[in-house]
Amino acid sequence: MAEKIDGKAFAQDLRDRVGKAVAQLTKDYDLVPGLAVVLVGEDPASQVYVRNKGKQTLEAGMHSFEHKLPVTTSETELLELIATLNADPDVHGILVQLPLPKQIDSHAVINAIDPNKDVDGFHLINVGRLSTGAAGLVPCTPLGCLMLLKDALGDLSGKNAVVVGRSNIVGKPMAALLLAESCTVTVAHSRTQNLEAVCREADILVAAVGRPEMVSGEWIKPGAVVIDVGINRVDGEAGKTRLVGDVDYSSAEKVAGAITPVPGGVGPMTIACLLRNTVQAACASRDINFDLD
Ligand code: GUN
């Protein structure tokens, strides 16, 4: 039976470490890291995320700035807000919640954020930094996955890693991070031929496709470490809904060496990494060398 990777506990530990770093920065440097979160519109899932981000930012001792704009906001208005936040010395991190309403070009918005405040790591400069091995801000969800993998496996070098999914938010940055750890990386996706056989080669399998329980135990190499990034709401018993991942947990846990559950696996790591990135950005803004690991 696979070891269950406790992302919830790991994220709590990471938030505690971030909180200690914030306390020390406040005391020694009079620096309180600040995170601005921008939400356009009233998408219910986004509202939940933004509320949790604000709460956990304050709990870590940081400043939280929330900007809630109406769904009718124009791209120009949003770009004006970004320019204000870029210029604000109390704001060290800026996150614009995605998706944005259709009148707004999300690429234009993301690339208007000061790359050194881009705690999502989505700006082209940070994508370039990650793919060339330069220091920069790394997208939160793949960063969280990497932390869990290193905790489970130690050194990742030489491992066969298969990432299922090629999104800019998870799949592509995850592949870049694993390559930087000297894994042999395959990025599989909806057009991949014989996906099942490709997955079965993986020592490390990261599923980030958004298809409920698509990866079954038969797709998994015995002993592999499985990271499930999926968060899918499906119909459950008695008219209720329940959350499932992209991996069929009950068959996968019989084969894998270790596996993240849904919920309680990768999910809690994302905000913890966002807080960590905000502290990193705050330190960089003042040329402070601070070990966050
Ligand atoms: N929407 C879903 N995931 C994310 C994320 O990681 N960052 C932002 N900004 N929006 C999201």
Side-chain angles (χ1 to χ4, degrees):
M1 214 58 150
E3 177 207 341
K4 188 189 275 192
I5 298 174
D6 190 346
K8 199 174 162 195
F10 197 101
Q12 178 66 53
D13 184 59
L14 178 56
R15 287 199 304 272
D16 290 346
R17 280 183 278 143
V18 167
K20 288 202 181 94
V22 170
Q24 199 175 335
L25 289 168
T26 306
K27 182 164 145 283
D28 295 351
Y29 298 93
D30 195 23
L31 172 62
V32 182
L35 172 65
V37 175
V38 181
L39 174 63
V40 185
E42 294 179 2
D43 176 66
S46 292
Q47 284 177 323
V48 173
Y49 286 134
V50 168
R51 201 178 316 128
N52 286 335
K53 283 170 192 159
K55 187 167 159 275
Q56 293 184 27
T57 304
L58 294 173
E59 279 169 5
M62 305 200 258
H63 285 149
S64 169
F65 309 95
E66 275 184 25
H67 294 268
K68 294 185 177 166
L69 306 180
V71 70
T72 52
T73 301
S74 70
E75 186 175 307
T76 308
E77 287 168 316
L78 182 53
L79 291 173
E80 277 167 13
L81 173 60
I82 301 288
T84 307
L85 297 172
N86 281 344
D88 186 338
D90 293 333
V91 172
H92 304 100
I94 302 169
L95 179 144
V96 178
Q97 185 66 33
L98 302 176
L100 288 165
K102 55 184 178 310
Q103 75 275 16
I104 299 176
D105 174 2
S106 55
H107 292 287
V109 172
I110 287 165
N111 291 312
I113 296 171
D114 177 344
N116 297 324
K117 296 190 178 190
D118 168 40
V119 283
D120 257 331
F122 295 164
H123 191 293
L124 288 172
I125 293 274
N126 283 317
V127 176
R129 285 169 173 159
L130 175 59
S131 67
T132 56
L137 290 158
V138 173
C140 303
T141 300
L143 180 59
C145 294
L146 185 69
M147 287 179 183
L148 295 178
L149 280 168
K150 282 183 162 177
D151 189 56
L153 285 169
D155 185 13
L156 307 185
S157 82
K159 304 269 185 212
N160 258 344
V162 174
V163 179
V164 191
R166 54 174 155 176
S167 71
N168 291 334
I169 294 184
V170 183
K172 286 181 204 160
M174 186 77 247
L177 283 169
L178 291 165
L179 190 55
E181 296 294 329
S182 304
C183 293
T184 303
V185 183
T186 303
V187 182
H189 47 79
S190 55
R191 303 284 179 89
T192 296
Q193 289 177 15
N194 211 348
L195 179 59
E196 202 175 317
V198 172
C199 290
R200 218 177 284 121
E201 294 293 312
D203 304 310
I204 293 170
L205 181 61
V206 180
V209 270
R211 284 170 168 260
E213 300 177 319
M214 183 182 82
V215 177
S216 76
E218 284 142 46
W219 298 30
I220 295 169
K221 178 174 172 177
V225 177
V226 179
I227 303 289
D228 189 352
V229 185
I231 301 179
N232 310 288
R233 197 166 278 286
V234 297
D235 292 335
E237 283 169 26
K240 292 193 177 148
T241 63
R242 63 190 179 99
L243 288 182
V244 298
D246 293 346
V247 178
D248 173 31
Y249 190 90
S250 58
S251 63
E253 72 168 343
K254 296 189 177 79
V255 188
I259 180 170
T260 59
V262 176
V266 172
M269 291 299 291
T270 299
I271 298 182
C273 287
L274 175 68
L275 303 181
R276 186 208 165 278
N277 280 357
T278 304
V279 174
Q280 182 187 322
C283 289
S285 76
R286 296 257 295 264
D287 276 331
I288 298 168
N289 246 328
F290 199 95
D291 187 10
L292 285 164
D293 301 316

